[in-house]
């Protein structure tokens, strides 16, 4: 079967360009450009790369970025104070604290402290609740990017059976809610599901988000399915470091209608959706209609 490789980089470029045009219109109408604050605690190299990419994309979209770097041994009160100051700052419309935080700091506390209206990650319990009732306008960026890719690929998703592999708060659970809202039939399989591959093999759409390299093999896929691979796992192969997804790409791709590659699939779309969320938050805070 010939399969399509979904070009996440190209879709992300298109989405960032759409955001840039809207930002330009806002500025021409006399409004301030949206402002995105990114808080990075410590010097984890992977987090550093993600933050750099977010700031680079913000520049392309015409979004002002404010970078706050804190040392790995800062205490909870110091981090709380930075977030509280950003909550109060009218020039900041979106706040993102890069996760994971060092072990001695509470992620749950920080997520709750960020103003729900500036929560461009969509992690605050208020936004999680609004997503559950289909009313959220700030939705976690990774599942939002996956949804955009599926809709751009398949059009209307009504009636499709989607299987989500993984039940994390960042991807699996919000993905299930978004696909339910798009009228899919949803099954979430996870580490305690006894027959996960059998269930997955019934799906029209498979979203893999578990962080286990190449877990999803050919036995998990119905011929003609569309597969979205959220995993980014660094493995050693022939003495070299390589990035692979949660899907065994070489075995699965030939069975699919379409599949996302790793890298170059979900990753760029996640960052593009952060720009979209920042624009949404800024417009709401400035009372500009959608
Ligand atoms: N670390 C890995 N993914 C994410 C994300 O989507 N948002 C934040 N804040 N940190 C992350």
């Amino acid at each position: 079967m010939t399969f399509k490789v979904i070009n996440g980089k190209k879709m992300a470029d298109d989405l960032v360009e759409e955001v840039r045009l809207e930002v330009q219109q806002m500025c021409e109408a006399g409004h301030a450009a949206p402002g995105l604050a990114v808080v990075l605690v410590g010097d984890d190299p992977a987090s550093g790369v993600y933050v750099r990419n977010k700031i680079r994309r913000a520049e392309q979209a015409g979004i002002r970025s404010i970078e706050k770097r804190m040392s790995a041994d800062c205490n909870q009160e110091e981090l709380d104070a930075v977030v509280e100051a950003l909550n109060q700052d009218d020039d900041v419309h979106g706040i993102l604290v890069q996760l994971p935080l060092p072990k001695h700091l509470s992620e749950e506390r920080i997520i709750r402290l960020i103003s729900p209206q500036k929560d461009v990650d969509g992690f605050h319990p208020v936004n999680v609740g609004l997503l559950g009732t289909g009313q959220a306008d700030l939705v976690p960026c990774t599942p939002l990017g996956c949804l955009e890719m599926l809709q751009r690929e398949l059009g209307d998703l009504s009636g499709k059976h989607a299987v989500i592999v993984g039940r994390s708060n960042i991807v699996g659970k919000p993905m299930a809610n978004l696909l339910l809202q798009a009228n899919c039939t949803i099954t979430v399989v996870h580490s305690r599901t006894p027959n996960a591959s059998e269930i997955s093999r019934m799906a029209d759409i498979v979203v893999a988000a578990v962080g286990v390299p190449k877990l999803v093999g050919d036995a998990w896929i119905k011929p003609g399915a569309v597969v979205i691979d959220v995993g980014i796992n660094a493995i050693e192969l022939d003495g070299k470091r390589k990035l692979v997804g949660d899907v065994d790409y070489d075995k699965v791709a030939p069975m699919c209608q379409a599949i996302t590659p790793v890298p170059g699939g979900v990753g760029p779309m996640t960052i593009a959706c952060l720009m979209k969320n920042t624009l949404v938050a800024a417009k709401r805070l400035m009372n500009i209609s959608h």
Side-chain angles (χ1 to χ4, degrees), residues 54 96-100 121 123 142 170 270:
K54 288 168 185 176
L96 179 143
V97 177
Q98 185 67 28
L99 304 177
D121 263 326
F123 294 165
T142 301
I170 293 186
T270 296

Side-chain angles (χ1 to χ4, degrees), residues 159-187:
K160 305 277 185 202
H161 181 196
V163 167
I164 297 145
V165 187
R167 54 174 161 173
S168 69
N169 290 336
I170 293 186
V171 187
K173 288 178 199 165
M175 188 78 254
N177 267 320
L178 283 173
L179 288 170
L180 194 56
Q181 235 165 276
N183 301 315
C184 290
T185 303
I186 304 299
T187 312

Side-chain angles (χ1 to χ4, degrees), residues 77-149:
E77 290 68 34
E78 288 166 327
L79 182 57
D80 288 1
V82 166
V83 169
E84 274 163 352
L86 293 170
N87 279 342
Q88 299 301 324
D89 187 338
D90 289 341
D91 293 332
V92 171
H93 307 100
I95 302 172
L96 179 143
V97 177
Q98 185 67 28
L99 304 177
L101 291 173
K103 293 270 180 292
H104 66 284
L105 299 170
S106 166
E107 289 182 357
E108 194 190 324
R109 181 179 164 83
I110 281 300
I111 287 168
R112 283 172 185 264
L113 198 63
I114 293 170
S115 160
Q117 293 203 312
K118 297 189 178 185
D119 170 36
V120 283
D121 263 326
F123 294 165
H124 192 286
V126 165
N127 289 321
V128 175
L130 289 171
L131 176 59
T133 53
Q135 297 166 293
D137 54 10
L138 293 176
V139 171
C141 302
T142 301
L144 188 59
C146 295
L147 181 72
E148 284 265 356
M149 288 197 282

